[in-house]
Amino acid sequence: MRSALTLIVATITINLAFAQREIGEDTGWSLKDRMYVGGGLGMDAGRDFNGFRYFYAQVSPILGYMLTPKLSTGVGINYTYLKYTDLDLSTSQYGANPFLRYNITNELFALTEYNFISVDPDILNDNDKRLLFERFLVGAGYTQRIGARGAINFVALYDLRFTNTGPFGSPWVLRVFFSF
């Protein structure tokens, strides 16, 4: 149960300033009107399922473009640092995630993204080359508006390519993030 809780806590990332823009019929079609930037931060600490202490930090900026009032696309990059203090072991993983978002209603949206993640081999095996993992995530989210531009968003994604190997312990990815 403790490992499941650790996995859930590590997977739920508080992402700040995702900055999904809204456009309407009166919005111009200039590049400035359609582009948005944002990103997220995540952090976790505790003990893993073996009882080892760890610290986890993540940064994930994005750049997006509104194709229509309901459809946007973009790309995010991410960097994650993981340190096991009991083992004197640390590693970095990084990658990119092109995404597509469709606003079904003002509150509900569908999201898909393809993740490319490069992992330090010292964590998974004795190879000296970094390992590349890919995930194809699909899911849905809910947006609760806070003021004119702000919102809190809840997203559940499922990895259609999940295998029980690599750095991911579950096919599910849960996110909570604020947009401004």
Side-chain angles (χ1 to χ4, degrees):
M1 180 65 180
R2 182 152 174 86
S3 64
L5 181 60
T6 301
L7 174 65
I8 290 170
V9 170
T11 306
I12 296 175
T13 303
I14 302 298
N15 291 299
L16 301 173
F18 193 83
Q20 172 72 32
R21 290 190 62 182
E22 287 187 25
I23 57 173
E25 292 186 21
D26 60 341
T27 303
W29 281 96
S30 74
L31 185 64
K32 180 182 175 187
D33 292 330
R34 300 294 174 154
M35 292 194 72
Y36 57 92
V37 296
L41 301 172
M43 189 179 302
D44 189 21
R47 292 190 181 270
D48 70 5
F49 59 91
N50 289 318
F52 297 117
R53 290 179 301 162
Y54 69 90
F55 171 77
Y56 162 97
Q58 180 182 40
V59 177
S60 53
I62 65 160
L63 176 63
Y65 182 76
M66 299 293 297
L67 298 169
T68 71
K70 292 190 174 259
L71 183 65
S72 68
T73 187
V75 66
I77 58 172
N78 58 66
Y79 172 80
T80 303
Y81 173 79
L82 175 64
K83 177 165 181 67
Y84 281 94
T85 53
D86 294 339
L87 302 173
D88 194 30
L89 178 68
S90 64
T91 186
S92 297
Q93 70 181 32
Y94 48 83
N97 56 305
F99 66 88
L100 193 62
R101 175 178 169 159
Y102 182 77
N103 296 324
I104 300 166
T105 67
N106 286 339
E107 293 87 20
L108 300 175
F109 61 90
L111 181 68
T112 184
E113 63 183 58
Y114 200 86
N115 293 133
F116 301 93
I117 300 170
S118 175
V119 177
D120 188 345
D122 289 338
I123 293 296
L124 300 175
N125 62 30
D126 294 329
N127 192 350
D128 62 346
K129 293 183 181 178
R130 292 189 68 87
L131 303 171
L132 183 66
F133 293 93
E134 300 174 26
R135 301 190 322 169
F136 182 56
L137 302 170
V138 295
Y142 174 78
T143 297
Q144 176 63 54
R145 300 282 175 212
I146 303 170
R149 282 204 36 107
I152 185 168
N153 303 276
F154 304 91
V155 178
L157 298 165
Y158 186 82
D159 183 1
L160 295 178
R161 299 187 61 186
F162 181 75
T163 61
N164 209 13
T165 60
F168 312 111
S170 170
W172 288 100
V173 176
L174 305 174
R175 295 181 186 148
V176 177
F177 59 90
F178 296 93
S179 50
F180 301 98

